Each structure stands twice: as C-alpha cells, then as structure tokens.
Amino acid sequence: MRRLLRLFRHARSLRSVPLGAVARRAATLLPDYLGDGSSRSLVNITLELTYRCNVQCEFCFLKDSVLYQKRDELTVAEIARLADEAADHGASFFLTGGEPFLRRDLVEIVAAIKERGLKVGVNTNGLLVNESVGARIREAGLDYVIFSLHGPREIHDCLENRKGSYDKALANLTTFARDKGRTRVFANCVVAKRNSAVLGQVPDLLAHLPLDGLTFQHETFLTPKEVSQHQRVWRKLFPERELPMVYQSSGYGDRDFEAMEREIATMQGPEATKRWPFPIFFKPGLEGQKLRDWYTSHMRVKGRCLYIWTDTRVEPDGLVNACQVMPTPMGNVRETPLDELLNNEPYREFRRKNREAGGVFPACARCCKLYRNPINFMAQTPAWQGWVEKPEPCDRDPASSPAPSS
C-alpha cells in the first residue's frame, strides 16, 4: 500500500501522466501480456535528443557507452511526425540526453509536441537554462522540467567533473522556479558514493525555492556478476541475436547505511512537510535490508517489467530501443511508422522472452523503471536464476579428451 501511495504522490506532483493513455493501457495490459507479445497501447516515449553533454557525471550509466557520440540527430520535422504518431495513443514525451539544452532547436521541439496536445517534460543539468531560454521554453508550453542538483557545491562539482556547475545550475534553477508559470519544476539528486552521507543537506539548499518536488534517485549500476549473468541468459534466450552491451559500474559498497537511513527517515517523516515546502521522493523507496541489498554486489532481482509494454525509447538518430538499460534495436522511426515498430517480430519476441525469463533480465537489477510497478511485491524469483546457478558446460573437458594417436 505504501508503494502505491508513493507512486500516486509522485505522479500527482509531476502531473505528467497522460491519463487517457494510462486508462487504455490498463484496459488491455493483461490480454496483451498473455498474448503473442503485441502491445496495443503506448503511454510514454523517452526521446534522447542528443548524446552530446557538457558535464561528465561519474555515475552516468551512458558514460561508458554512447555518451558523447555524434549522431545524425532527428530534426524538428521528424520529431513532429513522431509526435503525430504518438498522438494516436495520447502518449507523453520525456526529453533527455546527453544534455537536451545543447539542442538549439529545443524550444521548437517542445512547441511541436505541444501542438499535438501531448504532455512533455525535460531533464537537464541546468547549465544552459538561462533566463531567456527558460522564458521561451515555458512559453512553448513545457509541462515540467527536472534540474539536477547532487549535493553541496564541492560535491556537486566533483560528481559532474565541472568546477562552477553548482553555482550556475542553482542560479538558473532559482530564476526558472521564481517565474515558472504553469511549468512544474523539480530537482533531482542521484544517490552516489560521494554524496550519500550528506543527502539531508540537499532539501535545505533548495528550501527557499517554490519547487514542486525533490527526488532522490538511487544510483543505477550493474556489478560484474550481473553482467556475466545477463550474458548467459541472453545467449540462452536469443541465440541468433547480437548480445547487447551492458556496462558494469563500481556503484556498490562504500556507503554509511545507518547515516543514509537516518537522513531518509527524516526527509520522509511526518515533520518533513513542516520543514520543507515541497514533497520529497526516493526512487525507488528503499529501507532496511532492501536499501543495503541495492548497494551490494549480490542483489537478487525480481519483479515484472512493464516498461516494455507501456513505453519505448528513441535514440537521437531515431533508433528505437525496447529497453533503456540494454540497447535492443527494433528499427528506426525514420524508416518505419511507430505502430509498426512497436509490434514487429523483434519487439514481440523481446516481450515474450522477457515473460519466459520471469518478467526481468539480470541487467534489470537496478533499473528505475522496474520499481515503479506497484505489484512487484507479488513477483516470484525469476526463472533465469535457475539457469545461471548451474555451471556453464564446456565444449570438452581436456582431461577426458582422447590421447592423440601415435
């Protein structure tokens, strides 16, 4: 019940949920899930506008893969056409990157999506959102914006590997929030190794601002063991498909869990609404052993991913991926209509194989999308756990090989 209440509060604060699309998805989800892998509804498109970025966040899960890659980025006209196709579902757009504000045509992109009557939000490090840009994008109809703030000045600058980024981001956030109009304004703090002992300082740094919410996002990472398990499971399920690259990180360990729990309890406790003028969320909501398990190298993942049935992800050049953690190309919106892509055989096979694996893959371990499913507490241990706990067979045991004939 607490999980449902948290999800409701977060969705209500964002007001980003396209209710019509959610209702249609809910009505058809069960028969779709039990069927051939087809999906009749779409709730949201995460559109990565660019892989260019002006910071180097040490916790970014794209930094060892596609970040900083140059792509032939979708034009405003191409994004408008995609929005036309998304409008048939009433789906919303979440614009991310890289750093979306490096797109000089970002205001035009937002305007094109809003002209189709769709909700749209954007994620940013805040460095380029000056007063003029902020005013123009609000006028274009932006529904919400999420600014990054990862701790006090020295820690924030260190995490983003850019001196002065804290002062610039906070100044731009302050200007935007004080004249936000109808645009809802949020701050997001990733719970990383360097800031995990000072999380409680973040809401105090922002308490003077009329924010609509502050979110703490537990770090997304994979351990070497999880990467190895994912490779084994993928080869079993998709022997004919290329193995997607998933990247390991050192995000686990080295945290004072007792201090973290005290700070989380304070920010989520009954006195929080008196102390800070905005709601505070943790994604996902973790406490006790679940918090410790998240940051260990032996977390046991379970749940059911609904993201592949409700959302899709589009790369800067139009390539469509079923998953945000592992690149799983399904086609390109430049070449194929969106509805056709969402239900082509590769996409349907991916959904079927996910179901066969038990609703998740090993690489899903700390994906934020997995933990927004309100019924995950009912999930059983996924089927693939039995597969990876068996030793991989060798082609041949050298000790049993026959001796060469003389």
Side-chain angles (χ1 to χ4, degrees):
M1 181 58 70
R2 283 192 298 172
R3 183 191 296 271
L4 286 170
L5 289 173
R6 288 187 189 122
L7 285 170
F8 175 75
R9 288 180 61 219
H10 194 215
R12 185 179 64 177
S13 68
L14 275 174
R15 294 181 188 170
S16 63
V17 177
L19 297 180
V22 170
R24 286 188 290 273
R25 175 67 289 179
T28 58
L29 180 58
L30 184 58
D32 279 2
Y33 190 86
L34 298 176
D36 68 351
S38 297
S39 180
R40 284 171 279 183
S41 300
L42 181 66
V43 175
N44 180 74
I45 296 175
T46 296
L47 177 55
E48 297 170 326
L49 290 174
T50 182
Y51 286 143
R52 293 173 287 145
C53 195
N54 51 354
V55 295
Q56 298 176 337
C57 296
E58 67 176 36
F59 49 75
C60 179
F61 69 87
L62 296 179
K63 65 181 172 62
D64 295 322
S65 54
V66 296
L67 199 65
Y68 313 117
Q69 284 185 5
K70 291 184 178 180
R71 297 285 186 94
D72 180 16
E73 296 167 359
L74 293 173
T75 66
V76 175
E78 289 171 323
I79 293 171
R81 186 171 66 248
L82 176 62
D84 282 332
E85 296 174 347
D88 292 337
H89 298 274
S92 60
F93 276 78
F94 179 57
L95 308 179
T96 185
E99 171 50 47
F101 280 86
L102 284 169
R103 288 283 301 250
R104 296 184 179 181
D105 54 2
L106 179 59
V107 172
E108 288 73 24
I109 291 171
V110 170
I113 295 171
K114 291 304 298 179
E115 286 170 5
R116 275 76 183 170
L118 303 177
K119 292 180 179 291
V120 57
V122 64
N123 186 57
T124 178
N125 58 43
L127 298 183
L128 300 174
V129 194
N130 59 37
E131 185 173 4
S132 173
V133 171
R136 290 175 57 223
I137 204 163
R138 287 194 300 270
E139 186 177 349
L142 185 69
D143 290 289
Y144 67 95
V145 60
I146 303 173
F147 282 78
S148 295
L149 195 81
H150 303 302
R153 179 180 290 105
E154 289 186 6
I155 291 177
H156 177 93
D157 288 1
C158 185
L159 283 170
E160 291 197 345
N161 283 292
R162 178 161 176 164
K163 188 174 182 180
S165 64
Y166 172 89
D167 291 329
K168 186 81 171 196
L170 185 57
N172 287 341
L173 170 56
T174 300
T175 300
F176 195 107
R178 286 179 174 169
D179 193 23
K180 63 182 181 178
R182 295 185 177 182
T183 303
R184 299 179 71 76
V185 183
F186 298 85
N188 182 68
C189 174
V190 173
V191 181
K193 286 183 179 181
R194 295 181 190 271
N195 66 4
S196 60
V198 295
L199 299 179
Q201 296 183 33
V202 177
D204 289 333
L205 295 170
L206 300 169
H208 63 291
L209 297 178
L211 298 183
D212 294 285
L214 166 63
T215 299
F216 288 90
Q217 176 73 58
H218 286 289
E219 187 172 353
T220 299
F221 62 91
L222 291 170
T223 67
K225 178 182 178 181
E226 289 158 351
V227 171
S228 175
Q229 288 179 335
H230 184 77
Q231 291 170 347
R232 290 183 63 183
V233 171
W234 186 272
R235 285 194 294 266
K236 177 179 176 64
L237 291 172
F238 302 98
E240 304 300 324
R241 295 185 66 173
E242 183 178 352
L243 180 70
M245 293 299 296
V246 291
Y247 294 87
Q248 65 190 52
S249 167
S250 57
Y252 51 93
D254 296 336
R255 286 171 172 82
D256 185 339
F257 292 111
E258 291 184 0
M260 284 179 65
E261 285 191 300
R262 287 194 299 270
E263 296 197 338
I264 291 172
T266 298
M267 289 184 278
Q268 299 277 271
E271 297 299 314
T273 55
K274 300 177 183 178
R275 182 171 174 181
W276 298 293
F278 42 74
I280 299 174
F281 310 96
F282 281 80
K283 294 175 58 182
L286 303 172
E287 56 189 26
Q289 192 57 46
K290 288 184 178 180
L291 177 65
R292 287 162 170 76
D293 288 346
W294 185 277
Y295 291 103
T296 64
S297 60
H298 53 270
M299 176 186 176
R300 294 182 70 88
V301 59
K302 66 178 182 177
R304 291 194 181 275
C305 175
L306 295 184
Y307 181 89
I308 58 177
W309 300 90
T310 63
D311 296 51
T312 196
R313 197 172 189 92
V314 181
E315 295 189 7
D317 55 1
L319 192 68
V320 171
N321 280 314
C323 174
Q324 71 164 9
V325 174
M326 52 187 133
T328 46
M330 301 298 170
N332 196 299
V333 296
R334 279 179 161 149
E335 303 163 358
T336 309
L338 179 63
D339 276 351
E340 187 175 328
L341 283 173
L342 294 176
N343 288 290
N344 61 19
E345 178 52 28
Y347 222 130
R348 287 186 289 120
E349 181 193 32
F350 186 81
R351 296 190 187 105
R352 292 194 303 267
K353 294 296 186 180
N354 174 270
R355 186 176 59 204
E356 181 183 336
V360 289
F361 300 115
C364 299
R366 296 171 190 82
C367 175
C368 61
K369 307 302 183 185
L370 174 63
Y371 297 93
R372 70 184 186 181
N373 181 354
I375 61 171
N376 269 343
F377 66 90
M378 299 171 60
Q380 303 297 313
T381 299
W384 57 258
Q385 284 285 1
W387 309 342
V388 299
E389 288 170 1
K390 298 176 182 177
E392 273 195 291
C394 298
D395 292 335
R396 176 173 295 195
D397 183 354
S400 64
S401 300
S405 56
S406 56

